[in-house]
Amino acid sequence: MSKARCWIAAWLFVMVGWEGLGCLAAEAPRKTHLEGYLLVPHERVDAKYNGGFSMYVAAWPLLRNYPGQEFQSGLFGTWMFAQYEGPRPKDLYSDIEGGLGWWRDTRFATETPKFIMGGVALNFCEWANGPGAGKGRDWSRPAGHYAVAQLSPWVLWPPDGLNLKQGTAGELFGYGYLPLPLTAPKKTTAGKPVPTGNHCWTLFLNTRNFKGPVTFFLPYFWSKPTVQKPELAGMFLDSRPSEPNKAVQMETQYIPAYVAQDSKGVFYARLWPVQFPGKPGEAAPLIHRITAYSKAALWDKVHAWFEGGPVASGKIDPQASAVHVFRGGGGATWCIHLPGTKPEERIRLDWSAFAQPLALDEVTYGYRWHKELVAKVRSKPNDLVTLPEYYRLDKDPKGRACWVPVRPSEVPGETGLAKLSFPQRRSLNPEPYVTPEEPTSCWKKPGPVAGPFQAVLGDGSVVTYYWYRFADQPALLNADLTDQEREELQKRVELLHRYWTKDREYLPPPTVGKLAELDPALLVRPPKGLEIGYVPIVTRQARKAETPSR
């Protein structure tokens, strides 16, 4: 055994003990996992661009086969915090994160990612992933379940997340959040003398089959904690602008992996097959046109329109924006745990051995993949590569333990790693999402005006939905708005429905790649007479065999 490997074995003896090493030397590989971040550096922009953002990120099946609900990983995304004068206050976590990915509470998961909104109220006291989707599923104690309003009359939003078209493999998903003045500022909140602002942070999408605004966070979601903590009034996104210089990363919490030890004491690991867009020796766009906006990009025109001025087209003005520039570089903290060690003792993957981060152009970022260490995967319409599956525990040039990629032929057969299989693991009986059914609930009074209707989604689930008058949807009835305030909001949304049609551009379009598509089953047409001022609200999502009408 080399001196380096002897050193590693001695180090592991200290970390996990003789008994732990003996277990790892057993014939059967031991299950563990990979976790960490991929870090994407980009240049800062002027602080005046504090009116929201947009970006294009690649959407693809990160794992060759979905491994079950233990798997949790996002694709590339960001965290949008409120902007402050000076440093961000401590112990005041609140933001919009979310993005594309897979989560442990995803009930109808496939290899294709879904999108969630990921709004976080003060220190995770509540969070909101979309209309009817919040922290937990207990409707008797909603925690973000009513935080998001449905705005589009053309797109269904399932509680399990917004579906992309099955088979998406590297196309760009365009999204962003910009504030709209849909509500008026309030001097009181829930009857208390604390204010609520009028920033309705609205999700805009740019996909191949849908473009435009879909949903928005209700300002009360952000200000609600100040009812009990009035000293925090005015500190959240309901009234504050957005911080334009945001981290862009890919956060992975759990990818299955296995570790085994050969008879010489050397440790090897194998990952569940991980995929990325691109070809061996080539790069593909992963992140494109991260753009920060000033309020002149959209807010000012819409505010003037609502005050009686000319119609605002909804097209976001690129002249009132700044695009972040890439110069290449970047880091990775992906680690594989050794069973029996503490979380802080995780060991990093030698990511740079097979992935070279680079700027494809000033506004596009990706990785060039090592020709011999990644494998090509035939995928229509785009190519994917499989990252190295096998690793040996070794040392990096600085003497730190790390997992070095090796070819399958370099892994001793006695480890048993080559015999592992990676099957699809679907949940056979996923629990359905069901909204309150009591006749006196806000889902029934005043209730919908049409339905029920159903749509069969690409993930194998069926959603049941109804059409509600916009101001009568459950989220609006729980938004700390008076009847008069809801009616004023109704008038403004009717203007949007009338003039902001689905066949026009809103976000600045990409200059590279192809756009991803939403699951076609999510695209709906309002019933006759309900084209303006009405929205579809999903009330149930269940496995296809168990979808009774309501």
Side-chain angles (χ1 to χ4, degrees), residues 87-123:
R88 195 169 76 201
K90 295 181 179 179
D91 302 321
L92 204 69
Y93 193 99
S94 178
D95 72 337
I96 298 174
E97 39 190 82
L100 294 168
W102 302 259
W103 299 269
R104 291 187 179 94
D105 61 357
T106 304
R107 296 181 184 176
F108 304 97
T110 69
E111 286 77 14
T112 301
K114 298 186 180 187
F115 181 89
I116 62 172
M117 294 175 69
V120 177
L122 175 64
N123 296 330

Side-chain angles (χ1 to χ4, degrees), residues 146-433:
Y146 295 117
V148 176
Q150 176 76 25
L151 179 58
S152 174
W154 301 295
V155 178
L156 297 175
W157 192 291
D160 202 44
L162 190 70
N163 297 50
L164 272 62
K165 182 179 180 180
Q166 290 295 305
T168 299
E171 296 92 335
L172 296 176
F173 181 82
Y175 77 99
Y177 291 93
L178 290 91
L180 291 178
L182 298 174
T183 59
K186 295 166 62 73
K187 294 182 179 180
T188 61
T189 301
K192 301 294 183 180
V194 292
T196 293
N198 66 336
H199 286 171
C200 295
W201 290 95
T202 303
L203 173 65
F204 284 79
L205 297 182
N206 192 7
T207 68
R208 187 175 179 183
N209 56 353
F210 177 81
K211 304 175 190 297
V214 186
T215 51
F216 66 91
F217 289 102
L218 289 155
Y220 181 50
F221 173 64
W222 312 109
S223 66
K224 185 178 179 181
T226 67
V227 174
Q228 301 299 323
K229 298 184 177 183
E231 69 275 12
L232 301 181
M235 298 297 285
F236 301 108
L237 285 166
D238 61 294
S239 56
R240 300 201 70 86
S242 61
E243 170 55 51
N245 294 299
K246 303 169 290 298
V248 175
Q249 300 176 5
M250 178 171 158
E251 179 183 1
T252 296
Q253 291 195 6
Y254 194 104
I255 292 176
Y258 298 85
V259 173
Q261 186 183 38
D262 69 8
S263 58
K264 296 180 180 180
V266 180
F267 285 86
Y268 293 86
R270 187 179 180 188
L271 284 182
W272 201 278
V274 178
Q275 305 177 135
F276 269 75
K279 298 180 181 180
E282 299 181 14
L286 294 176
I287 308 161
H288 177 64
R289 287 188 67 90
I290 307 173
T291 307
Y293 301 97
S294 72
K295 279 193 169 181
L298 186 63
W299 173 284
D300 292 350
K301 297 181 181 67
V302 175
H303 185 271
W305 179 26
F306 289 165
E307 295 298 317
V311 173
S313 70
K315 184 175 183 179
I316 299 164
D317 186 359
Q319 299 302 314
S321 70
V323 182
H324 295 265
V325 172
F326 295 114
R327 300 297 184 193
T333 67
W334 275 19
C335 302
I336 299 177
H337 289 258
L338 277 172
T341 60
K342 298 177 181 179
E344 61 269 22
E345 296 164 354
R346 54 188 180 268
I347 303 171
R348 288 199 182 190
L349 223 65
D350 187 4
W351 174 265
S352 62
F354 54 86
Q356 178 191 356
L358 73 162
L360 281 64
D361 57 49
E362 282 197 338
V363 298
T364 310
Y365 185 91
Y367 296 103
R368 179 179 291 120
W369 305 108
H370 192 288
K371 285 185 177 181
E372 297 179 2
L373 292 179
V374 302
K376 185 176 181 180
V377 179
R378 293 303 303 171
S379 176
K380 295 180 180 179
N382 299 310
D383 288 299
L384 301 174
V385 297
T386 300
L387 303 190
E389 290 187 35
Y390 294 92
Y391 298 83
R392 183 182 64 238
L393 187 58
D394 217 313
K395 292 174 64 177
D396 67 14
K398 294 184 179 180
R400 298 171 300 190
C402 70
W403 293 103
V404 177
V406 294
R407 294 174 176 81
S409 60
E410 299 178 67
V411 181
E414 62 185 320
T415 63
L417 292 173
K419 298 179 181 178
L420 295 172
S421 62
F422 300 99
Q424 292 179 329
R425 293 176 178 169
R426 301 280 191 267
S427 178
L428 297 179
N429 295 295
E431 184 180 355
Y433 293 97

